[in-house]
Amino acid sequence: MNIPIKNHEEIKKIRIAGNIASNVLHMIKKHVVSGITTAELDNICHKYITKKEKAIPACLGYYGFPKSICISINETVCHGIPNEYTKLKNGDIVNIDVTIIKKKYYADTSKMFIVGNCQDHALQLCQVAKQSLYITFPKIKPGLPLNIIGKTIQNYIKNTPFSIVKEYCGHGIGKNFHEQPHILHYNNFDTSIVLKPGMIFTIEPIINAGTNKVFCMHDNWTIRTKDNNLSAQYEHTILVTHNGCEILTKRKNEKIQKIYVNM
């Protein structure tokens, strides 16, 4: 398997793209309120990305995707298409997924937003989804098998009432939106791929409140839970360093380290 190892200059460019992507999620928070349409949120993000950051929204036009960001609400698992008729309402949980191109390099990140006051089980789901991502960071270091990521997530989720969606995975990222390797969010017992300094990839576990079964809507993009239960996802772009990892899309005020020394 040809897994790209990024050099110093490439890492610098992806770090810049990652900072822009994280800024988008920080910026949009104040706009995620009851009554706003998903199309309005998309438009705000598009203007910020293109005008303020002088960057390119990678989702726009990607295999025909019609909008600049993905917005997935409640039982929508991922790839939700912003539109003019869907308004956020009190109690919604919302994933906003942003991928940026800057100087020909990509970075990808997403997080959950809570609209107003939502039920305790929805808050718990979002917290568990976030934690399932965060607990992988202290595990990442050169020399370990790649499947340490999925193994760590699976061991955590099995002690919760929730389930891991297996159809979608993280991915290498750099000059291309999607590169090798695939980052599974469950243990596939494959130890043949070893983490090396300079690898950059996303970790983006999707956690469901009910069964992990999902289906694709007729628009050929929107993925929803089969049992109509809630779904939540968090995502960061990660660099494997010589002694741990760096979170290239860490947001302002996010309560995690940017650099993990795990040796």
Side-chain angles (χ1 to χ4, degrees):
M1 183 182 296
N2 182 23
I3 299 175
I5 302 296
K6 275 66 176 184
N7 62 37
H8 179 69
E9 287 302 314
E10 290 178 308
I11 291 168
K12 281 175 60 177
K13 290 177 181 178
I14 299 169
R15 191 178 280 126
I16 291 168
N19 185 59
I20 293 171
S22 68
N23 287 346
V24 176
L25 291 180
H26 182 77
M27 174 278 301
I28 200 62
K29 180 179 179 180
K30 65 183 178 182
H31 300 285
V32 183
V33 295
S34 181
I36 196 168
T37 68
T38 53
E40 289 175 302
L41 290 173
D42 177 77
N43 188 50
I44 293 167
C45 288
H46 179 85
K47 287 183 177 178
Y48 181 88
I49 293 165
T50 58
K51 304 298 184 185
K52 172 72 173 178
E53 298 286 3
K54 309 296 183 186
I56 298 169
C59 288
L60 185 61
Y62 184 74
Y63 286 98
F65 192 82
K67 297 294 181 178
S68 294
I69 59 173
C70 298
I71 303 180
S72 303
I73 304 171
N74 296 334
E75 70 279 356
T76 299
V77 172
C78 59
H79 305 161
I81 302 174
N83 60 72
E84 294 77 14
Y85 53 84
T86 300
K87 292 183 178 181
L88 301 188
K89 61 184 185 300
N90 185 60
D92 283 344
I93 60 172
V94 184
N95 179 272
I96 297 182
D97 192 343
V98 176
T99 308
I100 293 299
I101 310 169
K102 183 71 172 182
K103 296 182 179 179
K104 300 183 179 181
Y105 282 84
Y106 290 72
D108 191 2
T109 186
S110 81
K111 73 177 295 287
M112 300 301 297
F113 295 86
I114 308 298
V115 182
N117 299 307
C118 73
Q119 296 182 5
D120 287 345
H121 77 281
L123 288 173
Q124 183 190 10
L125 174 66
C126 291
Q127 182 60 34
V128 166
K130 179 166 65 175
Q131 191 64 17
S132 75
L133 171 62
Y134 285 0
I135 60 172
T136 66
F137 303 154
K139 301 286 186 178
I140 298 172
K141 62 181 180 180
L144 287 182
L146 178 66
N147 77 335
I148 189 67
I149 295 169
K151 184 177 181 180
T152 300
I153 295 169
Q154 180 175 299
N155 287 341
Y156 172 66
I157 294 297
K158 72 181 182 182
N159 294 314
T160 75
F162 306 128
S163 62
I164 305 167
V165 173
K166 294 186 175 181
E167 284 85 348
Y168 297 91
C169 62
H171 51 88
I173 191 168
K175 286 184 179 178
N176 302 290
F177 198 155
H178 296 93
E179 299 178 348
Q180 294 292 345
H182 297 307
I183 310 296
L184 301 183
H185 303 119
Y186 58 94
N187 187 9
N188 69 336
F189 302 99
D190 179 3
T191 59
S192 64
I193 301 174
V194 175
L195 294 170
K196 296 179 181 179
M199 285 184 176
I200 296 182
F201 48 76
T202 71
I203 307 174
E204 45 185 300
I206 303 172
I207 309 301
N208 287 355
T211 175
N212 64 357
K213 303 302 181 185
V214 300
F215 72 100
C216 186
M217 300 287 285
H218 293 304
D219 60 20
N220 294 320
W221 280 106
T222 306
I223 308 299
R224 296 182 62 170
T225 58
K226 273 196 172 180
D227 60 7
N228 214 39
N229 265 306
L230 298 176
S231 185
Q233 180 183 30
Y234 280 80
E235 175 185 13
H236 272 308
T237 296
I238 311 299
L239 163 69
V240 181
T241 64
H242 71 281
N243 60 4
C245 67
E246 179 180 344
I247 316 306
L248 299 179
T249 47
K250 180 186 179 299
R251 297 181 299 280
K252 296 174 184 176
N253 304 322
E254 189 175 6
K255 296 179 180 179
I256 56 171
Q257 299 165 220
K258 183 173 179 62
I259 296 175
Y260 288 76
V261 177
N262 300 329
M263 303 298 278

